[in-house]
Amino acid sequence: MAATITSPPVSALVDPDLHADGDPHELWRWMREFTPVHRHEAGELPAFWSLTRYEDIRAVYRDPATYSSARGVLLRPARLGDDPGGGLTLALSDPPRHKELRALMADWFTTRSVRALEQTVRDATRRVLARAVERGTCDVVQDIAGPLSLSVICGIIGVPQPDHEAVYEWCEDAFATHTSLAAHPQLMEYFMELLYARMAEPADDLLSSLVNGTVHGELLPEHEILLNCENLIGATENGRLALVGGLLAFLQHPDQWRQLDRDRALLPGAVEEILRWTSSATHSMRTATRPHTLRGRRIEEGERVVLWLPSANRDEDVFDDPYRFDIARRPNRHIALASGEHFCIGSTLARAELRILLTELLDSGCSVEQAGPVTRVRSIAVNGPATLPVRLTPRTTP
């Protein structure tokens, strides 16, 4: 890391180019020290407060009564107003509605359910790795992490296996332009047809749970079911960025890969360190429901508060040597998967995907080498490699 900067352009924090080509961590570190609760005046984006310290961000997550998710959880241009999905989806709702929506989906993401899925995830991982080895050189984003993470969530929702590839391609179109999945006509048309099929004949899948479940004693409207499916699929972008970012971290720290290969007991810790290190969700937003003071700054009702998660997960007050990738790090109380009411419903699944991918790579004995330059996502919502070309070379037997 460079030395602490003295007069940083704090406004650059919302410039996607900084996150794609620069070093936002340098700016976040300065803000943690000198302006941990910082006000950004309105421009293309509405006015908002930036929080960069772990303690403050964790406290906001754990106080939904003061910090609401219902008006949106991502910064949007001021001209667009509040998120139209506010109050309708798991991510954009507050208690008690949030708890009822979560209850409709939670059974599909429990430890027991994920354990039952592990062989499916393992088989999918082996398929994508086998194809990557056949190619020799591949892009981890497009050829491994993307298909893997989307295939798993599609299986949970209830998308038939033959349709996974089409859904993946539609999602890629949306991810590439950072547009809402709900704006993709083919994807939404497909899910509407699937929704009607589940209304006529329920199946053992999450979509059927949404179709037949109730909130406040009433069935969910069709558009709310579609928006919740969109949220779940959209979350795979964070998952795949963690998968790709984790592999890149090991390529950049080969000593850590060798250490993991020697001692598989380090695997759970490696997963947690990848989540902390990548922090693929760059920010989450809340709206203040009442006037209050935070670190001496007055936040008024209705003002937006933005939580910068990668900054929290590099906070020197919480993590020893936070800019070191260390799979043996103890403790590792990261909040890459949020905290409190909005703790990621798919956290157990995300951890399982990471663990299985690492295990399969280690067991395959393949050597993995970077085969070209890495490009990064140009976004302030998510971060990580947009492309990671690698060469997978199978183990040769004597």
Side-chain angles (χ1 to χ4, degrees):
M1 291 294 300
T4 300
I5 50 182
T6 54
S7 299
V10 176
S11 61
L13 196 54
V14 295
D15 183 353
D17 287 339
L18 174 67
H19 298 266
D21 304 319
D23 182 12
H25 281 289
E26 188 176 1
L27 181 51
W28 281 321
R29 182 164 69 167
W30 186 90
M31 292 176 71
R32 286 196 301 273
E33 183 173 357
F34 296 106
T35 180
V37 181
H38 182 86
R39 181 173 172 80
H40 300 252
E41 297 302 331
E44 180 182 355
L45 296 171
F48 67 94
W49 294 92
S50 272
L51 304 189
T52 47
R53 288 190 182 174
Y54 178 100
E55 179 183 348
D56 298 334
I57 290 173
R58 187 172 182 270
V60 167
Y61 270 133
R62 291 175 172 267
D63 186 5
T66 303
Y67 300 99
S68 170
S69 301
R71 289 176 59 179
V73 295
L74 293 175
L75 281 167
R76 291 160 48 89
R79 69 180 186 279
L80 298 180
D82 291 341
D83 194 312
L88 305 180
T89 69
L90 185 66
L92 277 69
S93 58
D94 299 322
R97 182 175 181 81
H98 176 84
K99 291 182 178 179
E100 293 199 53
L101 282 171
R102 196 177 186 98
L104 293 181
M105 308 180 206
D107 283 351
W108 295 95
F109 298 99
T110 63
T111 300
R112 176 182 294 181
S113 295
V114 171
R115 190 178 296 123
L117 279 171
E118 285 205 3
Q119 190 56 51
T120 300
V121 177
R122 196 174 303 280
D123 291 343
T125 303
R126 288 173 178 171
R127 284 196 300 271
V128 297
L129 288 179
R131 287 197 294 266
V133 170
E134 286 177 8
R135 293 188 184 98
T137 300
C138 71
D139 178 14
V140 177
V141 179
Q142 298 294 328
D143 299 321
I144 298 176
L148 174 61
S149 58
L150 194 77
S151 177
V152 173
I153 194 63
C154 278
I156 291 173
I157 290 174
V159 176
Q161 178 68 44
D163 297 340
H164 286 194
E165 185 173 346
V167 173
Y168 175 66
E169 290 175 358
W170 295 329
C171 290
E172 283 302 290
D173 290 343
F175 290 156
T177 55
H178 305 295
T179 54
S180 168
L181 296 178
H184 197 292
Q186 290 170 292
L187 183 64
M188 288 299 101
E189 181 180 347
Y190 174 85
F191 271 100
M192 183 62 76
E193 291 178 0
L194 190 61
L195 184 154
Y196 288 143
R198 292 299 183 268
M199 285 180 173
E201 187 175 348
D204 186 21
D205 54 37
L206 188 148
L207 182 56
S208 296
S209 296
L210 290 173
V211 166
N212 296 292
T214 61
V215 173
H216 297 316
E218 298 182 356
L219 292 171
L220 292 175
E222 295 169 5
H223 70 283
E224 292 190 26
I225 296 172
L226 290 176
L227 285 171
N228 277 285
C229 287
E230 179 218 4
N231 270 200
L232 291 169
I233 292 177
T236 65
E237 188 174 19
N238 289 329
R240 74 174 184 175
L241 287 169
L243 290 170
V244 182
L247 186 54
L248 178 60
F250 278 118
L251 289 170
Q252 294 172 334
H253 303 86
D255 60 308
Q256 295 292 293
W257 185 251
R258 291 190 295 268
Q259 186 177 354
L260 182 60
D261 195 19
R262 288 192 303 267
D263 185 1
R264 299 295 180 88
L266 292 170
L267 194 55
V271 167
E272 298 308 318
E273 182 66 347
I274 287 171
L275 292 171
R276 182 194 75 88
W277 185 258
T278 58
S279 292
S280 58
T282 306
H283 83 264
S284 188
M285 188 182 74
R286 299 292 185 267
T287 301
T289 62
R290 62 176 180 84
H292 61 285
T293 300
L294 182 59
R295 292 192 185 272
R297 306 302 301 270
R298 178 74 171 178
I299 297 176
E300 299 295 342
E301 180 181 350
E303 290 190 319
R304 294 164 175 83
V305 179
V306 172
L307 321 176
W308 297 101
L309 305 185
S311 176
N313 288 328
R314 295 291 197 282
D315 192 330
E316 298 84 352
D317 290 342
V318 178
F319 302 97
D320 292 333
D321 199 2
Y323 296 98
R324 176 169 54 91
F325 181 68
D326 178 10
I327 64 172
R329 181 180 297 278
R330 298 288 188 282
N332 193 347
R333 299 184 299 273
H334 67 80
I335 48 175
L337 301 172
S339 183
E341 296 279 351
H342 281 268
F343 185 70
C344 176
I345 194 171
S347 59
T348 302
L349 181 62
R351 289 181 167 106
E353 289 181 15
L354 274 166
R355 173 172 49 79
I356 290 170
L357 177 60
L358 296 176
T359 300
E360 291 300 318
L361 276 172
L362 289 166
D363 288 348
S364 72
C366 285
S367 66
V368 186
E369 302 172 285
Q370 191 171 326
V374 177
T375 61
R376 297 188 65 81
V377 174
R378 187 180 180 275
S379 170
I380 65 170
V382 295
N383 72 90
T387 59
L388 174 55
V390 298
R391 184 176 299 106
L392 273 70
T393 306
R395 174 168 39 202
T396 56
T397 54

